[in-house]
Amino acid sequence: MLGDLAAEVAEHLIGLPLDYGTTVEQIAALLVAEPRNSRAVCAVAAVVVNDALADPFRETTSNRWRTSIPSWVAPQMIGVTVRRMLTLDVLVHTGRYVRSTDKHGRNTGKLMAIYALNLAAPALLHRRDDAERPAA
């Protein structure tokens, strides 16, 4: 129930500019943290990371991995997962863009970001989690 409601809210937020403070990020974090979404989040993250690892510069765009996302993953979960990966610095924006080839989502020709995989992020996240954990 909560996951369905959150997905519906996220669908309406997709068109919003990303300058609404942390509102979009907070909703993305909730969706990613929802246990019922973990399978979809893992599927999207695996496809994105594997695509970046196959690139010599560790770069990725949705043009390359869009068709590899399993069909059972709700479209909203793709954007939420990528956004969360950006927040955690697993993906970083390169400052460059390419034209979208997404005909299904009617985004053909729109500019979309090129991201790079930050291979240091998992170690940094692990250290941050350890620092935030209360002493036993």
Side-chain angles (χ1 to χ4, degrees):
M1 181 76 152
L2 176 61
D4 294 335
L5 178 61
E8 185 177 322
V9 169
E11 183 177 336
H12 294 290
L13 291 176
I14 287 172
L16 292 176
L18 299 178
D19 62 351
Y20 284 87
T22 60
T23 304
V24 174
E25 244 354 280
Q26 290 169 346
I27 291 170
L30 286 173
L31 287 171
V32 171
E34 168 63 37
R36 289 177 288 182
N37 294 334
S38 65
R39 186 170 168 235
V41 169
C42 288
V44 172
V47 168
V48 172
V49 169
N50 285 332
D51 180 74
L53 288 173
D55 184 84
F57 299 105
R58 304 298 185 242
E59 293 182 346
T60 186
T61 73
S62 63
N63 281 345
R64 292 203 328 238
W65 49 256
R66 183 182 304 110
T67 58
S68 299
I69 299 288
S71 60
W72 51 264
V73 174
Q76 299 88 344
M77 289 309 301
I78 299 167
V80 163
T81 302
V82 171
R83 186 90 175 118
R84 189 68 179 145
M85 291 173 79
L86 285 163
T87 300
L88 296 172
D89 290 329
V90 173
L91 291 179
V92 292
H93 193 290
T94 63
R96 295 177 297 135
Y97 297 85
V98 295
R99 298 270 177 200
S100 176
T101 59
D102 181 16
K103 293 178 185 173
H104 179 72
R106 297 184 299 251
N107 291 315
T108 304
K110 292 181 181 176
L111 291 178
M112 57 184 227
I114 298 173
Y115 302 113
L117 183 64
N118 180 4
L119 296 173
L124 295 173
L125 289 172
H126 183 65
R127 277 190 236 131
R128 186 180 75 190
D129 288 345
D130 288 345
E132 291 173 358
R133 195 172 290 129

